[in-house]
Structure formats: structure tokens, C-alpha cells
Amino acid sequence: MKAIVQDRYGSSDVLELRDIEKPKPGRGEVLIAVRAAALDAGVWHLMSGQPHLLRLMGYGLRAPNVRVRGREVAGRVEAVGDGVTGLRPGDEVFGICEGSFAEYATASQDKLALKPAGLSLEQAAALSISGLTALQALRDTGRVGPGQRVLVIGAAGGVGTFAVQLAKAYGAHVTGVCSTAKTELVRSLGADETIDYTRKDFTEGDASYDLILDTGGNRSLSRLRRALTPRGTLVIIGGENGGRWLGGMGRVLWAALLNPFVRHSLKPFMASELKADLDVLKQHVEDGTLTPAIHRTCPLAGAAEAIDQLHRGEVRGKILILP
């Protein structure tokens, strides 16, 4: 089968389209004939090995432990391993695996859900990691509720496009921060207001927010706190600034240290890969409150260029990789 493989850390030129052996499902796993995979910010970090803290967390010191890139997936179950009870061959599924940039991939049955009705398999590939991140950041960490004023930074990104829609579904008044070219998309997703960060600095205005979701931004905590209500909550979802060792994690760690000493609630965030929440996303799609925003599709051979485009911040929503 064909797959996007890397043998060492580096820029996108380390990725190669190769023929490799078709995987076999282990206990509790299924084999998926991949219809589509999706890009998330983590793909670049796992490709580059940055920040270096990732390598110390078990992803591989000198080279990636998982050689096939991609984690968000959708496709049809082709075979099941021992102990699989909830899925069978022919089922259309979406979820999370290791190595989705390939014609076939294996995944734990605990990280898959049945495809939402009314959504194509290609669209479903965009849901899992970015959708779970937005859902859990809003519902569990941010405790969003009706009538709250919510600011989503990076509202046109993979996580941001889901966060705007989910915050509206929970009854919040939503403001999305994005660049000029992306404001129309953010409004179409249901944002009540948009702020073009190339023209206005929201941290210097009079508006204040009960909840701010910062999806990989680079603003300092002191600036972000200016835009919070006196008891407001800031949820930090990663970060793309900082040095090679900590990257955006430096800001996350500082928030955790500062939190006990300020009135605001400063909450670092990391998503959990829960099947129950994949089912929640499925329900939101089926009740019409959530739709993946797709920037474009590309073949496996275009994966490297797509990752570069994502890292440059040029993507609106999600890019899909089609085997």
C-alpha cells in the first residue's frame, strides 16, 4: 500500500510517498480502508520533532517512533481484530489512529465512532482531533454557558471553526478573531461578531469576555487578561511561539504557575481522545449544529505541501488528504 513515511525529524522534505506493508489489526483494533485523512497542527510538530519536549514525552528521541504521518481518519472497516465487539467489516467510521496518511490504517475501536448521517466520509475525517479539542475546551475546561461572551482566537482554523459553532450551540455570544481574508468564513459559521486582527487589537478595546479560547496564538498572558471580565476564563490550546525546547508550552506552563495568584482562571488544555465525545460530535452534526469547514483536498503526494501551507497559517478550516 502507499503511505506518507518519514525516517527522521525535519521540515516537510523528510516526508516520502512509499509502498509499505499493509498493517494488520491487533487485539481491540480494526483495519480501515482510508477514504480520507485530515491535517491538524500536531502533524507539523510530530514531523519536525518540535518542540523538543515532545521527543522526551515518548515520541522518539532521534527519529519518530511512528513513521507514517497523520492521525485524523475516516473510512470503511475492512477487518477486525480479536476482542472487537462494537464494529464490523463494512462499517463507515471516523476517529483517531496512528498513520492515517495511507491507503490503510489500524485504529483502536475505542477511538472510532460511526460516521454521522448526512456527512460524507471525506467530511467526517475532519471531525475528530480538532472537533474533540473544541468540544472539551469549551464544555469541560471553559464551562461555556448561555449568554456568555466568548472570544475565539484563530476562529478560522481547524479547532476554531468547530469552536465557533459549538459555542453558539451552547448559547454563547461569539466573537471570532481572524485575518481579513477569513472573516466571511467565520461569520458563515455563526459568529455574532468578527475582529480582524490585522486592523484591530482586541486586547486594547473596551470589550471584555467571559471566556477566551486561544487556539495556538502567540499573545502574552498579560495582554489576553486585559480582554477578560474580572472573573473570566482563558483556555490556552497549545501555542506556536517560543523556542525549540518548549515552543508554545512555555506560555502554558506560565499560565499554570500564575493561576493561583490571579482573579482570572487561566487554564492550560490538552484534549482527551474519548469515544464518548466522538459520539457527541456525531450528534451535533446530525442535529445540524456542526459542519466541518473544508479548505481543500489533496492526494497523498501533496501531503508535504499541505502541511507547509497549514504551518504558514494559510488554511481556512481543514485540509483533507485523499489516498
Side-chain angles (χ1 to χ4, degrees):
M1 70 166 192
K2 295 189 181 300
I4 296 294
V5 181
Q6 72 173 104
D7 296 320
R8 57 188 172 86
Y9 290 122
S11 56
S12 60
D13 58 2
V14 303
L15 302 181
E16 296 182 11
L17 179 61
R18 298 186 197 166
D19 286 310
I20 64 172
E21 186 176 350
K22 184 177 177 180
K24 296 180 181 179
R27 182 170 183 79
E29 293 183 332
V30 303
L31 175 67
I32 301 171
V34 177
R35 175 67 64 85
L39 284 180
D40 68 281
V43 171
W44 182 87
H45 291 288
L46 293 175
M47 176 191 75
S48 65
Q50 294 185 37
H52 294 325
L53 179 62
L54 283 175
R55 307 188 192 195
L56 301 177
M57 293 170 62
Y59 290 96
L61 285 176
R62 297 181 178 274
N65 291 333
V66 177
R67 295 169 60 236
V68 181
R69 288 279 61 82
R71 303 197 69 231
E72 294 183 294
V73 69
R76 285 189 173 84
V77 175
E78 180 155 302
V80 300
D82 293 339
V84 173
T85 57
L87 297 170
R88 59 186 180 182
D91 284 343
E92 295 185 327
V93 295
F94 76 99
I96 302 168
C97 70
E98 298 292 349
S100 62
F101 293 177
E103 293 177 316
Y104 293 90
T106 55
S108 169
Q109 66 174 340
D110 297 330
K111 294 187 179 182
L112 296 172
L114 293 174
K115 179 186 74 67
L119 207 64
S120 71
L121 274 172
E122 289 82 1
Q123 291 173 303
L127 279 173
S128 52
I129 292 177
S130 296
L132 286 180
T133 300
L135 173 69
Q136 294 168 6
L138 285 165
R139 182 195 63 192
D140 304 332
T141 305
R143 299 190 179 279
V144 67
Q148 285 188 330
R149 292 182 61 84
V150 174
L151 183 76
V152 179
I153 303 173
V159 174
T161 52
F162 289 117
V164 169
Q165 297 176 77
L166 289 169
K168 287 298 296 180
Y170 284 115
H173 180 281
V174 181
T175 300
V177 179
C178 59
S179 63
T180 308
K182 300 176 182 179
T183 54
E184 184 176 344
L185 168 65
V186 174
R187 290 192 193 100
S188 74
L189 297 172
D192 298 286
E193 301 177 50
T194 58
I195 296 175
D196 179 353
Y197 68 79
T198 68
R199 300 180 179 180
K200 179 181 178 181
D201 184 349
F202 67 86
T203 67
E204 296 180 354
D206 295 328
S208 58
Y209 302 91
D210 303 295
L211 172 61
I212 296 177
L213 254 64
D214 189 1
T215 68
N218 55 17
R219 296 168 181 83
S220 67
L221 296 182
S222 60
R223 289 181 62 198
L224 291 169
R225 289 177 58 208
R226 292 179 205 161
L228 285 171
T229 57
R231 296 289 179 179
T233 298
L234 168 65
V235 179
I236 303 172
I237 304 173
E240 300 302 324
N241 62 325
R244 290 192 173 189
W245 278 98
L246 292 179
M249 293 300 295
R251 193 176 57 142
V252 170
L253 295 172
W254 176 236
L257 291 171
L258 185 63
N259 187 58
F261 305 103
V262 298
R263 290 183 301 169
H264 296 135
S265 183
L266 309 179
K267 296 187 176 182
F269 173 81
M270 182 172 290
S272 299
E273 297 171 356
L274 303 176
K275 177 182 175 6
D277 281 346
L278 291 175
D279 289 328
V280 172
L281 293 175
K282 177 177 182 290
Q283 184 58 51
H284 276 296
V285 171
E286 291 178 343
D287 67 19
T289 57
L290 193 64
T291 302
I294 307 302
H295 180 81
R296 68 181 180 93
T297 63
C298 71
L300 278 176
E305 190 278 329
I307 293 171
D308 287 340
Q309 185 182 19
L310 177 68
H311 189 58
R312 292 192 301 266
E314 298 171 357
V315 176
R316 305 170 192 172
K318 303 285 287 185
I319 293 180
L320 303 182
I321 310 295
L322 307 182

